[in-house]
Amino acid sequence: MKKAILLIFSFLAVLFLTWNVYADSNAFDKADTNKDGAITEEEYKSAVQSKFREYDTNKDGVIDASEFAAKGHPEAAKEFKFMDKNNDGVVNADEFFRAAIQRRDNFDFNRDAKISKEEFNSSKALPILKFYF
Ligand SMILES: [Ca+2]
Ligand SMILES: [Ca+2]
Ligand SMILES: [Ca+2]
């Protein structure tokens, strides 16, 4: 009985991991439009820009705190404060992009302004990419 439960759990774990890796590499490939195996600053920018449009549900050109929180991320309020550099309570496209670049530097380990697949899949990148990518 115990063995069977263990087996089911291992199966689910493998399924979950496979799905995760698959989902991540999908997002990576989608952003790497010139297929050189890295996400350049330009490619990162266009991915970040479409993320911005996704947040801006009322299409007024800025993200407010409730639009940002709508995704249900527990760290949203903290990240919103980080993005809102001029403290006016909304995040414009420029603030969003600048914050995304600043965050990217945390996992651009070789400092070449490009994101390799390895960097993309690192544990440091994951919580950041959830917000910006
Ligand atoms: Ca908005
Ligand atoms: Ca602002
Ligand atoms: Ca890099």
Side-chain angles (χ1 to χ4, degrees), residues 12-124:
L12 286 176
V14 167
L15 203 73
F16 177 73
L17 284 175
T18 316
W19 182 81
N20 245 356
V21 168
Y22 176 77
D24 278 351
S25 99
N26 241 2
F28 184 93
D29 292 341
K30 221 179 115 195
D32 179 17
T33 45
N34 69 354
K35 304 289 167 219
D36 69 343
I39 298 169
T40 62
E41 185 137 332
E42 272 310 298
E43 288 167 342
Y44 187 61
K45 188 173 186 170
S46 69
V48 166
Q49 275 168 343
S50 58
K51 193 75 186 181
F52 180 87
R53 286 192 291 271
E54 205 184 302
Y55 283 121
D56 181 17
T57 43
N58 69 353
K59 304 286 168 218
D60 66 347
V62 290
I63 307 171
D64 59 45
S66 69
E67 284 173 331
F68 195 65
K71 292 270 177 186
H73 202 287
E75 300 272 288
K78 212 172 125 203
E79 193 67 16
F80 192 82
K81 264 203 185 114
F82 171 78
M83 300 188 299
D84 183 14
K85 302 287 183 205
N86 66 355
N87 264 316
D88 66 348
V90 292
V91 170
N92 62 33
D94 182 53
E95 285 174 325
F96 190 73
F97 180 62
R98 273 197 293 162
I101 290 289
Q102 245 181 299
R103 289 300 196 207
R104 184 206 60 193
D105 289 346
N106 289 338
F107 62 90
D108 178 16
F109 302 118
N110 65 353
R111 299 260 170 255
D112 66 350
K114 291 179 198 164
I115 307 168
S116 68
K117 204 160 204 164
E118 234 180 346
E119 288 168 340
F120 189 88
N121 287 322
S122 70
S123 58
K124 273 206 153 179

